[in-house]
Structures are given as structure tokens and as C-alpha cells.
């Protein structure tokens, strides 16, 4: 028996214990007197690295624990959840429950379809114009406030005529006042990115389009603010920041939209995917499974309103330190447009001090705080505070910010 267990290796052995015990709590198998199995939340929290990554980002620990329990034997099927056929009853239930949970979270009306697609947010940069436009002569409006909305506009230009609503710039520091916007009178849709992860710019309002379908990329702040879905024509979000792991992008689309261009690839066709419940081709089954678990986790914590309050508290703690630092921590983003999800800043002045920023990252890593380096296009530091980041983790980071300033200013 021992030879067999050694052959499995420790990781496989742990899973072996999961499969052979009725309940984790009664699993008492050990390799020797000092080796014990301990799956308590306390142990997990005390030893786990604090991951402030901008995406793929931290997944709630309760979700990881459930996924671990079900990985080798899902629903007593005798096979792993990653082995389930997408045409079977078990995966059909996973797919349906994920959609039902999202509908409950946002009170999505029945005239809106929920799709689970592949291709990421970048795939939707093409899918949106391909579904909502019928001709290359169609005009669309793009509110460009950062890198991701800029990339979306560039992609849309392949398929239609793009009107940039706000003055073009290469330096993003906020959202221009709506009096400066130049919306078209014949646009097929108006597009914006609710939260720019690289620059740390977030809309705290929904743009008024006077009846023109509104399209929103919510990849990085979905599930963090209550919204009225009926104000939108299309909402999409890559899951890997606030809703799970890479591989799936969920789309909420009003059913009267999406007739599309003939050149629209089938895998991106909203109508076809809606008619087939996102099962026209093999879906990213495990990503949808985790997505559903995260939706249920949010519901169990009080839903989107609770996440909204949580986000406000965490981000306020960080911004208070930045604002009180007398310029040691420097942010260029207008206060009214600051992101609650992604907080980029420089250390030592507006242009940053490379030596100080490197020291900050090294000392943070020594405290098990990782993925704080800013995007390569802007440099500096970036703190990402997605839903899975706990208040205790945010407070630990805030204390480090204060201590680092005191020791280095």
C-alpha cells in the first residue's frame, strides 16, 4: 500500500484521500506521525499568498475548495468534472445553473439572452460589430477612455465606420465631461469600457445614448456594481477577473439585436449561440463550471450590492493612503474617475523612482503579496482589488504601504 501511495505522489495521494473518504473531516490517513491532512479555512488563509493580480486573478477560496472536492469525482459520476460531455445531463445542469445564477444576480429580463462564449473580451471586440451591424457603411460610436476601448475601436474599424466620441489622446487620465462628447445621429450602437484595467479609470455612471443600443465591456468590474440591464443592448465580460478563470466570456444581449453580418463566424453569432444555449460547439466546460460556482458564491455573500459595498471600502482604504502620502505615492487619474478595481500609481514622484518601485515589489513579495507590478505600457505599481480579495488582505496591503513610505520617504 505504501509503495502504491508513494508512486501516486503527494498531490495524487491527497486526491486519493478525497475519493476514499466519505467526508474530508474523517480522513485520518497519514504517511507518518508528523504528516496530517488539514483542509481548514484557517490553515488555507494563513499560508496562502495574497494575489493582487489584474487577471487571471484570485478566485474565492470557497470556490477553489469546492472545485477541489469535485475534481476527480463530479456528482458521484465516477469521472472528473473536466471529463463531462457537454451533451450530457451533468454538464447541462452546470450550464443551466450558471445562467440562472447570473440572471438572479442582475435580475436579467427574459428578453435578454445569456451566452457563454470563447475568444475572450478581444473576441467580442469583433463579435459586437459583426452582430450589431449589417453593412460596412454602418456608423458606430466608441467612447475611448483607455487601452481596451481603444483596441475595441481599432478592431471595429475592420467592419464598419467608427466615430470616436471623445477627443483622441495617448495619455488617459479620466473620462472627458459629457459636454465634450460627439455622438453620431445615426449610430448602430454606442460602445464603452466600464473599467480600464491598465490606466485605472472607471465609469460610475451609465452613459445616456437616447435610445441607441449601449454596448459595455464589463470584463473587470462585472459583479461589483448594481446595474439596470435594460439600459444596455449588450454586456460582455471575460471571466478571469471577477467571475472565475480564463476560457469563457459571458454575454448578455437583448434578443432583438444580433441579426449580424453574413461574414460573422458561427462561433461568434449571437443568434445561433442563443438558439443552442451556448452548446453549438464544445464549450469551455470547466471554465463555465467555475463561473457558475463564482456566481453562486456572490449570491451567498449578499449579491452584487454586497460586492459594491465591499469594493468601496477596500478601494477607499488604499486611496486614503495614496492621498495622504504628500506625493510619495502619485496617481494621475482624476479623483472622480478613479477605479475601485485597479489602482495604478508611481512611487517617488510623477515619473516614478525605479529603485524605489523595485524595492517595493521585492518587499511586498517577501510578505507574500504578489502581482503588484504596473502594466508594461505605463510602469509603476498597480493594485487590483477584485471581489475575491478580502478586506483583511486589503488592510494588510495598506499597512505595508504606510510602512514602506515611513521607511523610504
Amino acid at each position: 500500500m505504501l509503495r502504491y501511495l508513494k508512486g501516486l505522489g503527494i498531490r495524487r495521494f491527497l486526491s486519493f484521500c478525497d475519493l476514499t473518504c466519505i467526508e474530508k473531516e474523517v480522513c485520518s490517513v497519514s504517511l507518518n506521525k508528523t504528516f496530517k491532512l488539514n483542509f481548514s479555512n484557517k490553515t488555507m488563509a494563513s499560508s496562502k499568498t495574497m494575489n493582487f493580480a489584474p487577471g487571471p486573478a484570485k478566485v474565492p477560496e470557497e470556490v477553489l475548495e469546492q472545485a477541489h472536492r469535485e475534481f476527480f469525482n463530479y456528482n458521484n459520476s465516477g469521472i472528473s468534472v473536466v471529463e463531462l460531455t457537454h451533451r450530457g445531463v451533468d454538464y447541462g445542469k452546470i450550464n443551466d445553473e450558471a445562467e440562472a445564477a447570473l440572471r438572479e444576480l442582475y435580475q436579467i429580463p427574459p428578453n435578454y439572452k445569456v451566452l457563454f462564449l470563447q475568444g475572450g473580451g478581444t473576441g467580442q471586440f469583433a463579435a459586437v460589430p459583426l452582430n450589431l451591424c449589417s453593412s460596412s457603411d454602418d456608423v458606430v460610436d466608441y467612447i475611448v477612455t483607455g487601452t481596451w476601448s481603444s483596441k475595441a475601436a481599432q478592431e471595429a474599424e475592420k467592419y464598419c465606420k467608427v466615430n470616436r466620441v471623445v477627443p483622441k489622446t495617448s495619455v488617459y487620465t479620466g473620462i472627458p465631461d459629457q459636454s465634450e462628447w460627439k455622438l453620431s445621429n445615426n449610430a448602430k450602437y454606442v460602445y464603452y469600457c466600464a473599467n480600464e484595467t491598465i490606466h485605472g479609470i472607471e465609469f460610475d455612471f451609465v452613459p445616456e445614448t437616447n435610445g441607441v443600443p449601449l454596448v459595455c465591456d464589463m470584463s473587470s468590474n462585472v459583479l461589483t456594481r448594481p446595474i439596470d440591464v435594460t439600459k444596455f443592448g449588450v454586456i460582455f465580460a471575460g471571466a478571469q477577473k471577477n467571475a472565475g478563470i480564463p476560457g469563457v466570456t459571458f454575454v448578455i444581449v437583448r434578443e432583438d439585436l444580433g441579426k449580424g453580418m453574413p461574414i460573422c463566424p458561427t462561433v461568434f453569432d449571437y443568434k445561433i449561440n442563443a438558439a443552442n444555449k451556448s452548446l453549438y460547439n464544445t464549450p469551455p466546460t470547466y471554465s463555465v463550471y467555475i463561473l457558475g460556482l463564482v456566481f453562486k458564491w456572490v449570491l451567498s455573500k449578499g449579491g452584487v450590492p454586497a460586492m459594491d459595498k465591499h469594493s468601496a471600502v477596500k478601494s477607499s482604504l488604499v486611496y486614503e493612503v495614496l492621498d495622504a502620502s504628500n506625493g510619495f505615492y502619485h496617481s494621475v487619474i482624476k479623483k472622480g474617475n478613479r477605479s475601485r478595481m485597479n489602482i495604478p500609481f508611481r512611487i517617488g514622484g510623477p515619473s516614478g523612482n525605479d529603485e524605489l518601485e523595485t524595492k517595493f515589489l521585492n518587499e511586498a513579495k517577501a510578505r507574500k503579496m504578489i502581482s503588484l507590478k504596473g502594466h508594461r505600457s505605463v510602469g509603476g505599481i498597480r493594485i487590483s482589488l477584485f471581489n475575491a480579495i478580502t478586506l483583511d488582505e486589503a488592510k494588510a496591503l495598506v499597512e505595508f504601504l504606510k510602512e514602506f513610505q515611513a521607511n523610504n520617504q
Side-chain angles (χ1 to χ4, degrees), residues 111-113 131-132 188-189 212-215 232-234 252-260 270-271:
N111 65 320
Y112 281 77
K113 302 298 184 181
N131 277 278
L132 271 60
K188 287 289 185 177
Y189 62 84
V212 177
L214 182 62
V215 177
F232 299 85
V234 177
I252 304 169
V253 55
R254 206 173 69 208
E255 63 183 2
D256 62 302
L257 302 174
K259 296 179 180 179
Y270 293 162
K271 292 290 187 184

Side-chain angles (χ1 to χ4, degrees), residues 204-231:
D204 64 353
F205 64 95
V206 176
E208 176 56 58
T209 64
N210 299 314
V212 177
L214 182 62
V215 177
C216 184
D217 174 0
M218 286 190 189
S219 292
S220 53
N221 70 348
V222 72
L223 306 179
T224 68
R225 291 179 183 272
I227 58 169
D228 178 357
V229 170
T230 64
K231 291 184 177 182

Side-chain angles (χ1 to χ4, degrees), residues 118-190:
Q118 300 177 66
T122 301
Q124 291 303 306
F125 295 169
V128 167
L130 286 169
N131 277 278
L132 271 60
C133 293
S134 58
S135 164
S136 59
D137 292 326
D138 286 344
V139 176
V140 295
D141 285 347
Y142 276 69
I143 307 169
V144 176
T145 54
T147 297
W148 296 113
S149 49
S150 177
K151 286 180 178 290
Q154 291 173 32
E155 185 69 19
E157 286 178 327
K158 298 177 181 179
Y159 311 108
C160 53
K161 295 180 178 179
V162 173
N163 169 53
R164 285 172 170 77
V165 172
V166 299
K168 194 171 183 178
T169 180
S170 59
V171 179
Y172 301 102
T173 59
I175 301 169
D177 188 85
Q178 292 183 72
S179 62
E180 300 177 34
W181 295 11
K182 295 182 179 179
L183 295 166
S184 305
N185 58 12
N186 60 339
K188 287 289 185 177
Y189 62 84
V190 177

Side-chain angles (χ1 to χ4, degrees), residues 257-274:
L257 302 174
K259 296 179 180 179
M261 295 184 179
I263 62 170
C264 181
T266 300
V267 292
F268 283 154
D269 191 301
Y270 293 162
K271 292 290 187 184
I272 291 175
N273 280 284

Side-chain angles (χ1 to χ4, degrees), residues 306-333:
M307 297 297 109
D308 182 27
K309 294 177 182 177
H310 199 216
S311 296
V313 172
K314 291 185 297 183
S315 58
S316 293
L317 290 173
V318 174
Y319 281 122
E320 285 171 7
V321 176
L322 268 56
D323 291 341
S325 70
N326 294 317
F328 182 73
Y329 298 123
H330 185 82
S331 170
V332 300
I333 306 304

Side-chain angles (χ1 to χ4, degrees), residues 346-359:
R346 303 306 299 259
I347 300 178
S351 300
N353 180 302
D354 290 340
E355 184 178 342
L356 277 177
E357 290 174 350
T358 299
K359 184 179 182 182

